[in-house]
Amino acid sequence: MKAVITGATKGIGRAIAIKLWENGYDLLLTARNQPELEKLRDELFVTGRTILIYAVDYGIKEEVYKFLNTAENEFGFVDVLVNNVGAFLPGSMLDEDDETFEKQQNINVNAGYYISKFYGKKMRSQQRGHIFNICSVASKAPVKNGGSYSVTKAAMLSLNHVLRQELAPHNVKVTAFLPGSTKTSSWEGTTIPDEKFVQPEDIAETLFTILNLSKGVNVDEVLITPLDF
């Protein structure tokens, strides 16, 4: 089994990468930072297994497609795609620069659109596969001081629904994760205790459980939030 994970070096992406690797998946990991990708690869690598890395700026369409075309040649068919990469730029939508929205749109929505179309077509052809989109609670209700982020995450959830509708007749599964406050690098420096957060490993464990459900079932959405934040 093979999996592609975007935004793989930190938080949720890293936890999913570790979980799938530990359970026998070969991996293609992408993120912006090449040294961090190399570090993660070196931590995980086992002789006889495949783990490829690719540095991508997801805000640039040409870079995304360059990665996809290279990945097709080097990695082949992908059983699992995890669209995890995202950007959160806090602020008031009315007062921010247009570029704040545009950057989040490119990373949070456009990149997932390009990547999902690319692999979705191949999964449709093979009549198998699973796409996971890491959305947010902001996909359904705006978060304070995160207006543009909320808009783009709502769009990502809509993308998830369209993919599921189009791919379900071809035996391809599509699942959205909607995490609440999760202990990732975006919370670095906080004084809130770790146990108050959703842990990235919680999401990885849930994703792996979903992958092992029966062939005829699809988990449409997973809403996972802190018990008492």
Side-chain angles (χ1 to χ4, degrees), residues 31-216:
R32 286 185 62 185
N33 189 298
Q34 180 73 20
E36 289 181 357
L37 282 166
E38 292 173 358
K39 181 179 178 182
L40 178 56
R41 178 196 60 195
D42 293 346
E43 286 178 17
L44 296 178
F45 183 70
V46 176
T47 302
R49 302 274 303 280
T50 299
I51 180 166
L52 303 180
I53 58 173
Y54 204 101
V56 184
D57 185 338
Y58 301 97
I60 302 174
K61 180 179 180 180
E62 292 75 17
E63 280 206 28
V64 175
Y65 273 108
K66 181 180 177 182
F67 146 66
L68 290 171
N69 291 323
T70 300
E72 181 179 23
N73 293 329
E74 295 184 355
F75 200 56
F77 179 78
V78 170
D79 303 278
V80 177
L81 167 64
V82 182
N83 284 314
N84 172 66
V85 68
F88 173 65
L89 303 176
S92 164
M93 188 176 71
L94 294 177
D95 299 320
E96 70 191 8
D97 294 333
D98 291 350
E99 290 76 15
T100 299
F101 170 75
E102 291 162 359
K103 181 175 182 178
Q104 291 176 103
Q105 171 78 13
N106 287 337
I107 296 172
N108 296 349
V109 184
N110 293 5
Y113 170 83
Y114 305 140
I115 296 168
S116 295
K117 279 183 67 178
F118 185 88
Y119 284 114
K121 289 178 181 179
K122 299 180 185 308
M123 291 177 178
R124 179 179 64 183
S125 176
Q126 293 288 325
Q127 297 283 299
R128 60 190 173 96
H130 203 141
I131 297 174
F132 292 90
N133 293 302
I134 309 301
C135 300
S136 166
V137 291
S139 298
K140 291 197 170 183
V143 297
K144 188 175 181 180
N145 201 41
S148 285
Y149 173 79
S150 299
V151 171
T152 61
K153 283 297 185 178
M156 188 178 187
L157 182 59
S158 182
L159 171 66
N160 181 88
H161 293 335
V162 173
L163 285 168
R164 185 171 65 246
Q165 181 186 65
E166 294 193 5
L167 289 171
H170 304 282
N171 297 313
V172 178
K173 301 183 179 185
V174 181
T175 300
F177 270 81
L178 286 74
S181 298
T182 304
K183 191 58 186 293
T184 63
S185 58
S186 61
W187 286 94
E188 191 171 333
T190 184
T191 58
I192 302 172
D194 281 0
E195 60 268 20
K196 288 286 189 178
F197 291 89
V198 174
Q199 301 301 314
E201 292 76 15
D202 296 326
I203 295 170
E205 290 286 345
T206 306
L207 183 146
F208 186 68
T209 297
I210 292 170
L211 281 173
N212 288 281
L213 297 177
S214 62
K215 184 178 180 180

